[in-house]
Amino acid sequence: MKSWFMPCILAAWLFPASGDLCLNPPPVNFSILVVTVTEERFLATYYCIRGYHLIGKKELFCNKSSLEWDSPAPTCLLGHCPNPVLINGQLNSSKLEPVSEEEIVTFKCDTNYILKGSNWTQCQKDHTWTPPLPICIREQCKPPQRSNHVHFKASNFNPGSRVTFYCEDGYQLIGEQSLQCINGEWSGESPICEEVLEAIREAPVEAEESCVFRERNNICENVQRMMQCQKENRKTLEELKYSMEIKKLQLEKIKAVMSTE
């Protein structure tokens, strides 16, 4: 295995234009290129010169069978680290551009926004910021999204506040009834209201206690008793199941109403 250095700013290529070799590695300004040759492939590694940082893939491979590089060439941009950006906020550093190694930047959010993350960061030797760059999020939550037939009650949308949802008559709530504003975002998805079928809302509960299956020591006897009860009341298994579903919906509706009061 052998390797050599190639300063791309000089554009001095060492690959011969041959049909059985890979094409010259793509040139990258303000970088130093190290090429390693093995029996099976070429490896091109790019290093940005001091004062520049790499954007893209650092290493490119070229198999001798395909004779093509596996990725586009990276670029070297001015500054040891990428320029810090804070949307809806402000940053304070010793200078604007380029960013130098070990430079420290502090952050502050605009009015009505709060900082999520560290209020400072430092440019490291590996061209990264540590701690990671923060973001500015809204201090208040936006009004919650709601679908048709959904209403909500809330005194405000400040951090820690809660909003309670309820449905119009004839509709039932599907989802969380109450959400809390945390770090500018609601704690969950807004619920929806689905229409309760007229037949379910108005149909009387016909299932009788005597026809409900109860666990006993003698299961066969209990099954026979339930079947006899259904026969006397002229009920089928589907009818019994339907009446029990109606009772379940009515109990859920009562529970929802009681929890909102």
Side-chain angles (χ1 to χ4, degrees):
M1 182 178 70
K2 58 182 178 178
S3 63
W4 60 83
F5 293 92
M6 186 185 307
C8 294
I9 54 177
L10 299 179
W13 305 119
L14 303 183
F15 279 96
S18 173
D20 58 349
L21 294 177
C22 291
L23 297 176
N24 290 339
V28 176
N29 290 332
F30 311 109
S31 73
I32 296 175
L33 175 61
V34 178
V35 178
T36 303
V37 182
T38 65
E39 295 181 358
E40 299 296 331
R41 65 181 182 179
F42 295 93
L43 170 64
T45 306
Y46 295 89
Y47 298 91
C48 294
I49 64 176
R50 187 174 182 83
Y52 289 79
H53 63 278
L54 188 77
I55 299 296
K57 192 174 180 181
K58 180 179 180 180
E59 297 180 334
L60 303 184
F61 294 95
C62 179
N63 293 326
K64 293 184 178 179
S65 58
S66 65
L67 302 180
E68 293 182 355
W69 298 99
D70 65 336
S71 299
T75 56
C76 289
L77 300 182
L78 189 62
H80 187 79
C81 287
N83 292 330
V85 177
L86 185 65
I87 301 176
N88 300 317
Q90 306 169 10
L91 55 91
N92 181 25
S93 63
S94 59
K95 54 184 177 179
L96 296 178
E97 293 183 357
V99 176
S100 59
E101 184 180 336
E102 298 185 354
E103 182 173 354
I104 295 178
V105 179
T106 58
F107 303 94
K108 181 181 179 182
C109 292
D110 297 337
T111 304
N112 298 326
Y113 288 85
I114 56 178
L115 193 71
K116 187 174 183 180
S118 174
N119 65 345
W120 68 276
T121 187
Q122 186 177 33
C123 179
Q124 305 297 314
K125 292 182 178 180
D126 61 355
H127 307 280
T128 62
W129 290 101
T130 304
L133 299 178
I135 59 174
C136 289
I137 60 177
R138 290 178 59 90
E139 183 178 15
Q140 290 185 331
C141 289
K142 296 180 180 179
Q145 296 182 351
R146 59 182 183 181
S147 58
N148 295 333
H149 313 291
V150 179
H151 301 277
F152 64 81
K153 294 180 180 179
S155 57
N156 55 64
F157 302 139
N158 294 330
S161 63
R162 285 188 172 274
V163 58
T164 302
F165 299 87
Y166 61 96
C167 298
E168 298 175 357
D169 291 340
Y171 294 83
Q172 60 180 354
L173 195 72
I174 305 297
E176 295 291 335
Q177 187 173 17
S178 177
L179 299 179
Q180 186 176 19
C181 179
I182 302 175
N183 292 333
E185 298 180 356
W186 295 108
S187 57
E189 297 292 334
S190 299
I192 61 174
C193 288
E194 290 187 353
E195 185 178 7
V196 179
L197 298 179
E198 192 70 21
I200 295 179
R201 285 192 282 117
E202 297 184 355
V205 180
E206 298 180 356
E208 301 198 5
E209 292 286 336
S210 58
C211 293
V212 178
F213 180 84
R214 300 179 184 277
E215 292 186 4
R216 293 182 177 178
N217 293 332
N218 194 332
I219 297 179
C220 293
E221 179 183 346
N222 191 32
V223 172
Q224 291 177 354
R225 181 195 60 77
M226 187 180 68
M227 297 297 293
Q228 180 63 29
C229 177
Q230 289 180 244
K231 184 177 180 180
E232 293 175 356
N233 289 276
R234 298 180 180 180
K235 296 180 183 294
T236 64
L237 287 174
E238 289 298 324
E239 290 174 334
L240 181 60
K241 178 181 178 182
Y242 175 72
S243 62
M244 295 302 294
E245 289 293 334
I246 293 176
K247 175 180 283 189
K248 179 181 178 182
L249 287 174
Q250 290 178 338
L251 291 175
E252 289 179 350
K253 185 177 181 180
I254 294 174
K255 180 180 178 181
V257 173
M258 293 179 63
S259 61
T260 58
E261 295 178 352

